[in-house]
Amino acid sequence: MKVIDTHCDALLKLQGDYRDSFRTGERVLDYRNADKLDTNAGRLRKGDVKVQFFAIFIAPGIPDNEKWQHALEQVDCFYNEVIAQEGFVHIRNFTEINELKPDQVGAVLTLEGSDAFGNDLVKLRTLIRLGVMSLGLVWNNANLVADGVGENRMAGLTNFGYKVIECCNAHDVLIDVSHLNTAGFTDVIDKADRIFASHSNARNVFDHPRNLYDSQIRQIIKKGGMINIVFNPPFIKEGDVSIEDLYPHIDRILELGGRDNIGIGSDFDGIASYVDRLRDAGDFPNLSDAIDQRYGSVFTAKITHENFINSYC
């Protein structure tokens, strides 16, 4: 079963290896088959991943004057290591997903958090020209655009944040609400043309700040957006987590009317623990089989790839 996965953090790992090579004199991570990369090329092919989203992410603590450089280095990794692979295709318009050949893998560049461009729309437009197709306005912290779920003051979009939304609307860039707090979410729903949650679960099932309230899920569905189920165990339940523990999150989204609005956003390469039998992208068939057994083949096709194609392509 073909898979569209809307979030991974492989670029951050590749950039770290690139920087380490200045000290060690050699690269350790080969994107083709590095074991430390959950979404390496071999694993994507093994898992029948048709499209993988690759996030640019600036880690907390990076000095402001270095963030742009970190972003460019991750873009460079995307170009020189990811889409340089045989059969990998850079997706610059979602309609191009429909044009992929059976043996090709589509790669989408995204931005997780606005820290990379600060208060500079020229930098944002530059990233869009380089291929960024979706923008998560924040990570958990606050920035010059909005507050994330970890910020105590719980403010919404700033004045500059509204300009960022206008820029994204003008360039047909998806706004990712996964890390926004409730105030920011409300602001975005009102102003953004196209939205989705790249990697979030249902808060009614498990009360974690990174999960979405029922009201938020309903608003995303009403706007024609998608909620992409995430595999990070702390967002699913306490303790050890199995594939079956994803079912309550899926069920809740279905109960709220999201049969055509649910997808997959693994968060591979950005998580410290794993769902049993979902250790890397090569394990996607385990998920497809489990969903097929519980929900049937029609819904399995929807959640793995058809809903995204119908919503955005």
Side-chain angles (χ1 to χ4, degrees), residues 8-210:
C8 85
D9 286 295
L11 298 183
L12 182 63
K13 287 184 176 179
L14 289 169
Q15 183 214 4
D17 181 58
Y18 166 76
R19 289 203 156 214
D20 287 345
S21 70
F22 294 130
R23 173 176 51 82
T24 64
E26 62 178 348
R27 295 294 301 271
V28 174
L29 299 183
D30 186 333
Y31 181 67
R32 291 174 296 178
N33 56 15
D35 187 59
K36 291 185 178 180
L37 292 173
D38 304 337
T39 52
N40 67 40
R43 285 169 170 164
L44 291 183
R45 291 196 178 279
K46 180 183 176 184
D48 206 12
V49 176
K50 193 61 178 175
V51 180
Q52 180 65 59
F53 284 44
F54 293 85
I56 303 164
F57 174 63
I58 311 303
I62 300 297
D64 288 348
N65 63 340
E66 297 180 19
K67 291 178 178 179
W68 179 240
Q69 177 64 28
H70 279 253
L72 292 182
E73 288 174 8
Q74 290 183 42
V75 173
D76 191 63
C77 290
F78 178 80
Y79 273 86
N80 286 342
E81 301 179 56
V82 175
I83 61 173
Q85 301 298 317
E86 183 177 358
F88 275 58
V89 177
H90 185 189
I91 301 297
R92 301 185 68 102
N93 186 302
F94 288 132
T95 60
E96 295 170 356
I97 293 174
N98 294 316
E99 301 169 7
L100 290 171
K101 297 176 181 178
D103 61 340
Q104 291 180 324
V105 177
V108 176
L109 187 62
T110 73
L111 179 60
E112 183 177 25
S114 303
D115 301 66
F117 59 85
N119 66 346
D120 191 341
L121 289 178
V122 172
K123 289 180 178 178
L124 172 58
R125 289 193 291 267
T126 298
L127 289 172
I128 293 171
R129 292 183 183 107
L130 287 169
V132 165
M133 297 286 291
S134 78
L135 169 59
L137 301 178
V138 294
W139 190 61
N140 295 339
N141 51 297
N143 57 33
L144 298 176
V145 171
D147 284 4
V149 295
E151 185 65 37
N152 291 331
R153 65 181 176 176
M154 294 296 288
L157 293 182
T158 64
N159 289 339
F160 176 66
Y162 284 107
K163 293 181 180 179
V164 169
I165 297 293
E166 290 174 2
C167 179
C168 289
N169 287 344
H171 291 87
D172 203 25
V173 173
L174 276 176
I175 298 296
D176 182 2
V177 300
S178 276
H179 283 271
L180 276 170
N181 62 17
T182 53
F185 180 96
T186 299
D187 291 343
V188 166
I189 283 289
D190 290 341
K191 298 296 182 181
D193 288 345
R194 299 210 298 173
I195 65 165
F196 78 145
S198 65
H199 56 308
S200 292
N201 291 335
R203 196 157 182 173
N204 177 274
V205 175
F206 190 66
D207 189 12
H208 189 284
R210 275 282 286 101

Side-chain angles (χ1 to χ4, degrees), residues 201 229-233 236-250 274-278 286-287 290:
N201 291 335
I229 294 293
V230 61
F231 302 163
N232 192 12
I236 300 169
K237 59 168 285 191
E238 293 181 352
D240 295 335
V241 178
S242 68
I243 289 176
E244 290 72 23
D245 292 317
L246 292 170
Y247 295 162
H249 293 276
I250 295 171
Y274 296 86
V275 175
D276 183 43
R277 297 190 298 124
L278 273 179
N286 294 336
L287 177 67

